Amino acid sequence: MPDERVDRPRSSSGPGRILVAVYAVFAIAATGRASLQIAEYFHRAPLAYLLSAVAALVYIVATVALARGDRTSVRVATVSCSIELAGVLLVGIASYVDRAAFPDQTVWSHFGSGYGYVPLVLPVVGLLWLRSVRRSSPDVVR
Amino acid sequence: MQAMAYARTVLLPVTVTVLACAAVLAVASGAVTARNRRAGTGLLVVAALTELAVVAQLVVGISQLASGDHDVSAALFVAYLVGLVVVVPLAVLWALGEPTRWGPGVLTVAALVVLVLVARLHQLWTGTGA
């Protein structure tokens, strides 16, 4: 972004620093879990494990986008946080409704209860943070 | 059993040390964030001590795995041990790039991650909730 005069990406400074750190933890945790599930016992619960992989991918994209913080990245981060929120809500509901499809845990099943419900809170905090980032750094030069 | 005795004399002290260091790091860095200060030398010393304890845990954990007859998924166990070693240095690098109260906040997150990972490690070791 040629018109950006800020020294550091706004979305990864201040409180955003912590947000990126938490996202990174979930990116690694979800990637690790999904890799293990798919490599070791994929046949046990294919749907749940594929969703684990999707979750991992979304966390990775969100982490990188939040850390970069240029205008495109903020947009990418907003999209991935939205997908993440939709994912945790849909998988959360599905895991209660259709228990047979989720015989094993994923990051998002039961609204992320296995991870202290952080997966449910994280996208909401992320979207709120991105909104404040967009508001405080408009596209004009400061 | 010999393995049990070893666990009590070596594994437990190491685990307790890691937990204590991580708890001190969590409280100290949380306090610095709450008081709106930047990360100082004191916090870095606590972080370094935590890292030392975690490295010791890695060594003890792997030697335990190699010698014991535990029914533990070796790859998963080692992944957790190695993950624990990586967390604090990465957090320190990320924290030092932030010259506000949120730098130490990153260390709080890292300390909490260490506590959670050690708890999971213990679950894996004892075969509960794995």
Side-chain angles (χ1 to χ4, degrees):
Chain A
M1 294 297 119
D3 60 348
E4 235 174 20
R5 296 285 167 83
V6 283
D7 300 326
R8 299 178 299 148
R10 177 90 172 82
S11 70
S12 66
S13 43
R17 207 78 181 168
I18 291 185
L19 197 62
V20 172
V22 177
Y23 262 101
V25 169
F26 272 85
I28 294 167
T31 305
R33 172 163 233 167
S35 316
L36 181 80
Q37 288 175 333
I38 290 172
E40 296 286 318
Y41 33 82
F42 182 64
H43 57 92
R44 217 190 282 166
L47 176 64
Y49 297 160
L50 281 177
L51 283 169
S52 276
V54 171
L57 194 66
V58 171
Y59 283 123
I60 293 170
V61 172
T63 306
V64 174
L66 281 168
R68 286 173 55 92
D70 54 72
R71 214 193 302 170
T72 316
S73 294
V74 167
R75 232 173 265 152
V76 171
T78 308
V79 171
S80 50
C81 285
S82 307
I83 295 174
E84 186 193 336
L85 181 60
V88 71
L89 289 176
L90 289 174
V91 174
I93 293 169
S95 60
Y96 278 107
V97 173
D98 185 6
R99 284 165 191 273
F102 294 90
D104 201 7
Q105 287 283 317
T106 74
V107 184
W108 286 343
S109 53
H110 307 108
F111 303 107
S113 66
Y115 293 80
Y117 293 102
V118 176
L120 183 61
V121 179
L122 204 52
V124 177
V125 175
L127 287 171
L128 289 174
W129 171 242
L130 284 165
R131 193 173 67 164
S132 89
V133 167
R134 279 196 305 270
R135 283 192 180 166
S136 63
S137 53
D139 293 333
V140 290
V141 180
R142 286 208 262 186
Chain B
M1 266 164 56
Q2 203 183 349
M4 288 291 281
Y6 180 80
R8 234 176 262 133
T9 52
V10 180
L11 198 61
L12 188 64
V14 171
T15 308
V16 169
T17 308
V18 171
L19 290 176
C21 287
V24 171
L25 182 61
V27 172
S29 56
V32 173
T33 302
R35 286 165 60 209
N36 200 4
R37 302 285 164 81
R38 305 164 55 153
T41 319
L43 270 188
L44 292 180
V45 170
V46 179
L49 289 175
T50 310
E51 180 63 13
L52 273 179
V54 166
V55 170
Q57 183 181 238
L58 172 74
V59 174
V60 171
I62 289 180
S63 70
Q64 269 284 74
L65 203 60
S67 65
D69 49 358
H70 271 270
D71 186 23
V72 177
S73 163
L76 193 59
F77 193 72
V78 173
Y80 270 89
L81 286 173
V82 172
L84 272 158
V85 170
V86 174
V87 171
V88 174
L90 283 182
V92 167
L93 285 179
W94 190 238
L96 288 178
E98 176 63 37
T100 66
R101 60 157 63 182
W102 305 108
V106 171
L107 296 180
T108 312
V109 172
L112 294 177
V113 168
V114 168
L115 291 174
V116 170
L117 287 180
V118 171
R120 281 285 295 150
L121 209 54
H122 182 72
Q123 283 182 347
L124 287 174
W125 190 248
T126 55
T128 51

PDB file of all heavy atoms in Angstrom, chain A residues 74-86:
ATOM      1  N   VAL A  74      -6.428  -6.792   5.866  1.00  0.00           N
ATOM      2  CA  VAL A  74      -7.534  -6.529   6.778  1.00  0.00           C
ATOM      3  C   VAL A  74      -8.821  -7.102   6.195  1.00  0.00           C
ATOM      4  O   VAL A  74      -9.637  -7.697   6.903  1.00  0.00           O
ATOM      5  CB  VAL A  74      -7.673  -5.009   7.054  1.00  0.00           C
ATOM      6  CG1 VAL A  74      -8.987  -4.692   7.741  1.00  0.00           C
ATOM      7  CG2 VAL A  74      -6.507  -4.527   7.892  1.00  0.00           C
ATOM      8  N   ARG A  75      -8.963  -6.974   4.872  1.00  0.00           N
ATOM      9  CA  ARG A  75     -10.148  -7.539   4.216  1.00  0.00           C
ATOM     10  C   ARG A  75     -10.135  -9.061   4.316  1.00  0.00           C
ATOM     11  O   ARG A  75     -11.134  -9.688   4.651  1.00  0.00           O
ATOM     12  CB  ARG A  75     -10.177  -7.094   2.749  1.00  0.00           C
ATOM     13  CG  ARG A  75     -11.514  -6.473   2.358  1.00  0.00           C
ATOM     14  CD  ARG A  75     -11.452  -5.902   0.956  1.00  0.00           C
ATOM     15  NE  ARG A  75     -11.134  -4.476   0.965  1.00  0.00           N
ATOM     16  CZ  ARG A  75     -10.514  -3.842  -0.031  1.00  0.00           C
ATOM     17  NH1 ARG A  75     -10.121  -4.517  -1.090  1.00  0.00           N
ATOM     18  NH2 ARG A  75     -10.290  -2.552   0.033  1.00  0.00           N
ATOM     19  N   VAL A  76      -8.980  -9.660   4.036  1.00  0.00           N
ATOM     20  CA  VAL A  76      -8.843 -11.123   4.109  1.00  0.00           C
ATOM     21  C   VAL A  76      -9.131 -11.603   5.531  1.00  0.00           C
ATOM     22  O   VAL A  76      -9.832 -12.596   5.749  1.00  0.00           O
ATOM     23  CB  VAL A  76      -7.427 -11.566   3.668  1.00  0.00           C
ATOM     24  CG1 VAL A  76      -7.211 -13.046   3.941  1.00  0.00           C
ATOM     25  CG2 VAL A  76      -7.211 -11.266   2.195  1.00  0.00           C
ATOM     26  N   ALA A  77      -8.590 -10.856   6.508  1.00  0.00           N
ATOM     27  CA  ALA A  77      -8.806 -11.238   7.909  1.00  0.00           C
ATOM     28  C   ALA A  77     -10.284 -11.168   8.258  1.00  0.00           C
ATOM     29  O   ALA A  77     -10.807 -12.036   8.970  1.00  0.00           O
ATOM     30  CB  ALA A  77      -7.994 -10.328   8.831  1.00  0.00           C
ATOM     31  N   THR A  78     -10.977 -10.137   7.758  1.00  0.00           N
ATOM     32  CA  THR A  78     -12.407  -9.996   8.041  1.00  0.00           C
ATOM     33  C   THR A  78     -13.179 -11.182   7.486  1.00  0.00           C
ATOM     34  O   THR A  78     -14.041 -11.758   8.169  1.00  0.00           O
ATOM     35  CB  THR A  78     -12.949  -8.689   7.424  1.00  0.00           C
ATOM     36  OG1 THR A  78     -12.122  -7.609   7.854  1.00  0.00           O
ATOM     37  CG2 THR A  78     -14.375  -8.437   7.855  1.00  0.00           C
ATOM     38  N   VAL A  79     -12.832 -11.574   6.247  1.00  0.00           N
ATOM     39  CA  VAL A  79     -13.512 -12.723   5.631  1.00  0.00           C
ATOM     40  C   VAL A  79     -13.228 -13.996   6.432  1.00  0.00           C
ATOM     41  O   VAL A  79     -14.138 -14.758   6.753  1.00  0.00           O
ATOM     42  CB  VAL A  79     -13.067 -12.895   4.159  1.00  0.00           C
ATOM     43  CG1 VAL A  79     -13.602 -14.201   3.588  1.00  0.00           C
ATOM     44  CG2 VAL A  79     -13.547 -11.713   3.326  1.00  0.00           C
ATOM     45  N   SER A  80     -11.964 -14.204   6.804  1.00  0.00           N
ATOM     46  CA  SER A  80     -11.646 -15.469   7.484  1.00  0.00           C
ATOM     47  C   SER A  80     -12.237 -15.503   8.897  1.00  0.00           C
ATOM     48  O   SER A  80     -12.672 -16.557   9.347  1.00  0.00           O
ATOM     49  CB  SER A  80     -10.136 -15.735   7.497  1.00  0.00           C
ATOM     50  OG  SER A  80      -9.432 -14.621   7.948  1.00  0.00           O
ATOM     51  N   CYS A  81     -12.298 -14.361   9.577  1.00  0.00           N
ATOM     52  CA  CYS A  81     -12.943 -14.331  10.894  1.00  0.00           C
ATOM     53  C   CYS A  81     -14.436 -14.627  10.756  1.00  0.00           C
ATOM     54  O   CYS A  81     -15.032 -15.294  11.611  1.00  0.00           O
ATOM     55  CB  CYS A  81     -12.754 -12.975  11.573  1.00  0.00           C
ATOM     56  SG  CYS A  81     -11.106 -12.726  12.232  1.00  0.00           S
ATOM     57  N   SER A  82     -15.042 -14.133   9.658  1.00  0.00           N
ATOM     58  CA  SER A  82     -16.468 -14.386   9.438  1.00  0.00           C
ATOM     59  C   SER A  82     -16.717 -15.871   9.176  1.00  0.00           C
ATOM     60  O   SER A  82     -17.648 -16.465   9.732  1.00  0.00           O
ATOM     61  CB  SER A  82     -16.984 -13.564   8.252  1.00  0.00           C
ATOM     62  OG  SER A  82     -16.653 -12.204   8.431  1.00  0.00           O
ATOM     63  N   ILE A  83     -15.862 -16.464   8.321  1.00  0.00           N
ATOM     64  CA  ILE A  83     -15.978 -17.905   8.048  1.00  0.00           C
ATOM     65  C   ILE A  83     -15.805 -18.689   9.347  1.00  0.00           C
ATOM     66  O   ILE A  83     -16.525 -19.648   9.626  1.00  0.00           O
ATOM     67  CB  ILE A  83     -14.919 -18.355   7.011  1.00  0.00           C
ATOM     68  CG1 ILE A  83     -15.183 -17.688   5.665  1.00  0.00           C
ATOM     69  CG2 ILE A  83     -14.911 -19.872   6.862  1.00  0.00           C
ATOM     70  CD1 ILE A  83     -14.108 -17.958   4.629  1.00  0.00           C
ATOM     71  N   GLU A  84     -14.863 -18.227  10.152  1.00  0.00           N
ATOM     72  CA  GLU A  84     -14.569 -18.896  11.425  1.00  0.00           C
ATOM     73  C   GLU A  84     -15.778 -18.853  12.354  1.00  0.00           C
ATOM     74  O   GLU A  84     -16.131 -19.854  12.977  1.00  0.00           O
ATOM     75  CB  GLU A  84     -13.383 -18.174  12.042  1.00  0.00           C
ATOM     76  CG  GLU A  84     -12.815 -18.774  13.289  1.00  0.00           C
ATOM     77  CD  GLU A  84     -11.873 -17.783  13.951  1.00  0.00           C
ATOM     78  OE1 GLU A  84     -11.338 -16.897  13.252  1.00  0.00           O
ATOM     79  OE2 GLU A  84     -11.708 -17.883  15.174  1.00  0.00           O
ATOM     80  N   LEU A  85     -16.418 -17.675  12.429  1.00  0.00           N
ATOM     81  CA  LEU A  85     -17.598 -17.529  13.292  1.00  0.00           C
ATOM     82  C   LEU A  85     -18.724 -18.426  12.795  1.00  0.00           C
ATOM     83  O   LEU A  85     -19.350 -19.158  13.580  1.00  0.00           O
ATOM     84  CB  LEU A  85     -18.042 -16.061  13.328  1.00  0.00           C
ATOM     85  CG  LEU A  85     -19.245 -15.750  14.217  1.00  0.00           C
ATOM     86  CD1 LEU A  85     -18.949 -16.120  15.669  1.00  0.00           C
ATOM     87  CD2 LEU A  85     -19.609 -14.268  14.127  1.00  0.00           C
ATOM     88  N   ALA A  86     -18.959 -18.390  11.467  1.00  0.00           N
ATOM     89  CA  ALA A  86     -19.997 -19.252  10.885  1.00  0.00           C
ATOM     90  C   ALA A  86     -19.662 -20.715  11.149  1.00  0.00           C
ATOM     91  O   ALA A  86     -20.531 -21.508  11.529  1.00  0.00           O
ATOM     92  CB  ALA A  86     -20.108 -18.990   9.382  1.00  0.00           C
TER      93      ALA A  86
END
